[in-house]
Amino acid sequence: MRQLAWQVGSDGDMILPGRAGHMKFRYYPSGISLAMSAIQMDEDTQINFAADPTGCQVSAQYFIVGDSEIHLGNGEVRRWLSDTAMVIRSDTPGFHLKIGAGQVLRHVCISMYRDNIQSRIKSVLPPSLEALIQREGPVDVGISLRVTEQLKYLANELYNSETDSGLDSIRSETNAIRFLIEVLDLYGQDNVEELPQAPTVSGLRKEILATIKGRIDQTPSIDLAEAISEDGNRISTGLLRQLFQTEYGISLATYQRSARLNAARNLLENDGVHVKEAAFACGYSHIGNFTRAYRNHFGEAPSSTRKRVVGH
């Protein structure tokens, strides 16, 4: 597996060798930092992150798109999945990502030094949140969170903000603070309140889920209702969706959308088909919906992908 490490670019942002990735940073007077990444790998790769010698940080992460392994410094592994959120504190050196060939990753990360958070928060915190922030190191945790519409909105606003001066700078910092508060609030709530237990996945249920996943992998254009219809008599559709989320860490609809878009990208890159053909072949009946979903997933229009390959 190829190994890469982040390097400081001429503009102060971080880059990966061979133009494999870029991470843009913004630092605000409040002590919060914003990082926005765009990574694309053509082979299996491990990306190493240097330890921060100035202190430990607590970060709020929203993974816009991609699938990779997050390796904390203590060796524990978490999953980077599209449209998911996580709070991370990794004090032990050795934090890295493992990314499969062909993966495209985009994410937003808001972080703040633990000491700064402690100095800003004077009230009594929920026990779990207090442990995350107050506990002396080394602490290595990566906790997945439920995604709210507010969190998703703020993440996309931050990722798509293009300037960092004047009123835009104030707006961006405000959104960054709101994002961090939203994540820490969700973490505090969900680790104090008794939440419903996720349904158990075992035996026959695992076989059914693997079959449904296999149908989507084999034919991404398949209608979702058709993909699960054969098993709908044994398990309700609602429960199937819950089980799929529990087993694979991603919603059934999001998994199918990702499979369709990856199949479309493969057609554009390897077969040189026209955009409309790729859209229809992968289950999209409306070219506008396809183009919008493709751009959100890969960070470029499908026409740009095709032009890069066929040259026109």
Side-chain angles (χ1 to χ4, degrees), residues 65-67 82 102-103 212-224 227 244 250-268 278-279 281-284 290 293-294 297-298:
V65 68
D67 183 349
S82 300
Q103 279 295 320
I212 293 171
K213 182 174 178 290
R215 290 179 191 138
I216 295 173
D217 290 340
Q218 184 174 3
T219 313
S221 61
I222 190 173
D223 184 84
L224 202 53
F244 195 95
I250 186 173
S251 74
L252 186 55
T254 299
Y255 184 82
Q256 187 200 36
R257 181 171 65 249
S258 179
R260 286 183 169 185
L261 293 170
N262 284 327
R265 187 181 183 90
N266 183 61
L267 288 173
L268 293 169
C282 296
Y284 284 88
F290 169 69
Y294 191 98
H297 194 74
F298 294 113

Side-chain angles (χ1 to χ4, degrees), residues 148 150-151 154 177-186:
T148 64
Q150 173 76 349
L151 191 64
L154 290 170
I177 293 171
R178 291 171 63 196
F179 182 91
L180 180 61
I181 291 172
E182 179 81 0
V183 165
L184 293 180
D185 193 37
L186 286 169

Side-chain angles (χ1 to χ4, degrees), residues 8-21:
V8 180
S10 58
D11 55 0
D13 292 337
M14 305 296 287
I15 58 173
L16 290 172
R19 302 178 67 181

Side-chain angles (χ1 to χ4, degrees), residues 58-119:
V58 175
S59 66
Q61 316 252 354
Y62 177 74
F63 308 121
I64 299 173
V65 68
D67 183 349
S68 74
E69 290 182 354
I70 301 171
H71 290 250
L72 303 177
N74 65 351
E76 292 187 17
V77 181
R78 300 293 183 266
R79 199 77 190 179
W80 172 320
L81 293 168
S82 300
D83 195 25
T84 60
M86 186 177 290
V87 60
I88 293 178
R89 177 178 166 186
S90 187
D91 298 349
T92 306
F95 184 92
H96 62 275
L97 300 178
K98 286 187 176 179
I99 307 171
Q103 279 295 320
V104 175
L105 277 64
R106 294 164 58 209
H107 98 305
V108 170
C109 170
I110 303 296
S111 57
M112 195 172 192
Y113 284 105
R114 184 174 66 96
D115 293 344
N116 288 351
I117 298 177
Q118 288 176 317
S119 67

Side-chain angles (χ1 to χ4, degrees), residues 5-268:
W6 290 102
Q7 301 173 353
V8 180
S10 58
D11 55 0
D13 292 337
M14 305 296 287
I15 58 173
L16 290 172
R19 302 178 67 181
H22 180 270
M23 191 178 298
K24 183 185 297 183
F25 284 90
R26 291 178 185 164
Y27 302 94
Y28 300 109
S30 58
I32 280 182
S33 64
L34 162 65
M36 299 162 287
S37 71
I39 302 169
Q40 182 170 350
M41 289 300 153
D42 56 4
E43 61 179 286
D44 293 347
T45 302
Q46 176 174 314
I47 299 179
N48 300 311
F49 290 72
D52 186 344
T54 59
C56 73
Q57 299 190 46
V58 175
S59 66
Q61 316 252 354
Y62 177 74
F63 308 121
I64 299 173
V65 68
D67 183 349
S68 74
E69 290 182 354
I70 301 171
H71 290 250
L72 303 177
N74 65 351
E76 292 187 17
V77 181
R78 300 293 183 266
R79 199 77 190 179
W80 172 320
L81 293 168
S82 300
D83 195 25
T84 60
M86 186 177 290
V87 60
I88 293 178
R89 177 178 166 186
S90 187
D91 298 349
T92 306
F95 184 92
H96 62 275
L97 300 178
K98 286 187 176 179
I99 307 171
Q103 279 295 320
V104 175
L105 277 64
R106 294 164 58 209
H107 98 305
V108 170
C109 170
I110 303 296
S111 57
M112 195 172 192
Y113 284 105
R114 184 174 66 96
D115 293 344
N116 288 351
I117 298 177
Q118 288 176 317
S119 67
R120 296 286 296 273
I121 301 176
K122 305 297 184 182
S123 58
V124 177
L125 296 171
S128 58
L129 192 54
E130 183 176 7
L132 174 72
I133 297 173
Q134 307 283 7
R135 203 166 102 202
E136 295 299 325
V139 174
D140 296 275
V141 294
I143 308 296
S144 296
L145 304 170
R146 55 191 168 94
V147 175
T148 64
E149 289 303 314
Q150 173 76 349
L151 191 64
K152 188 182 299 187
Y153 167 79
L154 290 170
N156 283 286
E157 283 288 299
L158 288 165
Y159 194 89
N160 294 318
S161 58
E162 297 181 355
T163 61
D164 195 29
S165 59
L167 290 177
D168 286 335
S169 176
I170 298 174
R171 184 180 297 110
S172 179
E173 181 175 12
T174 301
N175 284 337
I177 293 171
R178 291 171 63 196
F179 182 91
L180 180 61
I181 291 172
E182 179 81 0
V183 165
L184 293 180
D185 193 37
L186 286 169
Y187 176 79
Q189 290 175 24
D190 290 356
N191 285 273
V192 173
E193 299 172 3
E194 189 173 342
L195 300 178
Q197 293 295 312
T200 303
V201 183
S202 60
L204 177 62
R205 289 177 168 182
K206 281 184 175 289
E207 293 179 15
I208 291 174
L209 292 175
T211 299
I212 293 171
K213 182 174 178 290
R215 290 179 191 138
I216 295 173
D217 290 340
Q218 184 174 3
T219 313
S221 61
I222 190 173
D223 184 84
L224 202 53
E226 182 182 348
I228 64 178
S229 61
E230 294 181 26
D231 304 291
N233 293 329
R234 291 187 286 177
I235 303 177
S236 70
T237 300
L239 180 56
L240 272 175
R241 292 176 183 273
Q242 292 181 52
L243 291 170
F244 195 95
Q245 175 84 43
T246 300
E247 178 71 357
Y248 298 112
I250 186 173
S251 74
L252 186 55
T254 299
Y255 184 82
Q256 187 200 36
R257 181 171 65 249
S258 179
R260 286 183 169 185
L261 293 170
N262 284 327
R265 187 181 183 90
N266 183 61
L267 288 173
L268 293 169

